[in-house]
Amino acid sequence: MTMEMLGVDIGGTGIKGAPVDLSDGAFLAERFRVDTPHPSTPDAVAEVVRQVVDHFGWTGPLGVTFPGVVINGVTMSAANVSKSWIGQDAEALFARATGRPVTLVNDADAAGIAEMRLGAGRNRGGTVVLLTLGTGIGSALFSDGVLVPNTEFGHLELHGHDAESRASAKAREDHDLSWEKWAKRLSDYMRHLEGLISPSLIIVGGGVSKKAEKFVPFIEGVRAPIVPATLVNNAGIVGAAMAGAAAHAPGTTGPDHARSAVRRAASPSLLVPRRRTAERNARACAARQPRRAEGGAARFSR
């Protein structure tokens, strides 16, 4: 995998990017940020992405995040940006605007990739979920280090409402909730989520994760350990860069192969034991293939 890649993170209020050292997630230049245009139409946002790319003089492929469902490069939802994004081939749009190959990924999925590779989820197997608490609630789900994209758990119904309308960081501010009262809402939400996916670890991300000590200790009734993200607001840029590098790694052929590589970009170290297990299983199956005994009867070797 390339050890340096540009990541661009599109948010509802700002679009920011930086070249990333993929070995440790460090920025190789100071982050560059431009306000998200209003209205945040595809062409207007694409122009800002071009500005970010040109700011760094970047000439190679890059990774870009988007705050909504992304399927095969097409944006299928738009919670905090213009609804004209729905059904837009955004990956192709950004490629045309920048003149570079682009890999597009959901913003929470990108943050999850970064946290699983370098942060709080590093070397963790089983089912791990990252929840980004901000304007809404983004989510990234991993099974043995492999991304299950576009989960959108912030839109689970909770007490008759979208969960993010009650439990996001914005909801805490809008309703002037104390940290303890907000933690009670988070407890309800996380218990509901835990009943559906039984995670072995919950990572709390978003800017508010810097204040995790103010609310995480008050979350009750959740079996899974809850830990704050370590990359905080840099996770989107870092994860975008990792996705771009995975999609354009040597030997990656065709869009399907590239998207599979992105899903596995989070923690390739976890895949080594799985490959070895598969190899052992293959050898065991080969050893048990039927062999022809004298007299013509098929027997299994032991």
Side-chain angles (χ1 to χ4, degrees), residues 51-289:
Q51 292 176 29
V52 174
V53 173
D54 289 351
H55 173 82
F56 295 105
W58 192 261
T59 58
L62 62 142
V64 178
T65 77
F66 180 80
V69 172
V70 178
I71 299 176
N72 297 330
V74 177
T75 47
M76 304 301 292
S77 69
N80 297 304
V81 290
S82 169
K83 299 302 181 186
S84 59
W85 280 100
I86 298 174
Q88 174 76 43
D89 188 347
E91 197 168 75
L93 172 68
F94 292 135
R96 289 194 302 271
T98 62
R100 284 93 168 166
V102 170
T103 299
L104 190 67
V105 63
N106 170 269
D107 58 348
D109 287 346
I113 288 171
E115 285 293 335
M116 291 295 289
R117 182 77 175 275
L118 297 172
R122 186 174 184 177
N123 295 327
R124 291 296 298 258
T127 301
V128 178
V129 63
L130 168 81
L131 300 173
T132 58
L133 305 176
T135 304
I137 298 177
S139 61
L141 179 66
F142 296 85
S143 176
D144 288 335
V146 180
L147 173 69
V148 181
N150 299 308
T151 46
E152 296 288 304
F153 288 142
H155 297 296
L156 288 175
E157 184 176 321
L158 186 64
H159 303 309
H161 303 278
D162 254 16
E164 67 179 19
S165 70
R166 290 180 49 82
S168 67
K170 183 177 184 295
R172 185 187 76 84
E173 295 173 354
D174 289 348
H175 299 286
D176 195 25
L177 300 174
S178 67
W179 292 106
E180 291 87 348
K181 288 184 178 179
W182 185 45
K184 184 179 184 304
R185 292 191 179 193
L186 287 172
S187 299
D188 289 344
Y189 170 61
M190 290 184 184
R191 285 196 298 267
H192 181 44
L193 181 61
E194 188 170 56
L196 297 173
I197 63 172
S198 300
S200 55
L201 179 69
I202 298 173
I203 303 171
V204 175
V208 74
S209 64
K210 290 183 290 188
K211 300 178 180 178
E213 76 282 355
K214 293 181 178 293
F215 63 93
V216 169
F218 298 103
I219 296 175
E220 298 178 338
V222 179
R223 295 187 302 274
I226 304 168
V227 299
T230 59
L231 298 174
V232 196
N233 283 337
N234 291 341
I237 293 174
V238 175
M242 289 178 172
H248 294 93
T252 302
T253 57
D256 290 342
H257 192 186
R259 299 189 202 292
S260 177
V262 169
R263 288 193 295 274
R264 295 175 179 275
S267 190
S269 62
L270 285 176
L271 301 180
V272 175
R274 292 167 65 88
R275 283 198 296 268
R276 289 174 179 166
T277 299
E279 290 166 2
R280 285 197 299 269
N281 289 345
R283 288 196 296 270
C285 288
R288 290 180 59 82
Q289 289 298 311

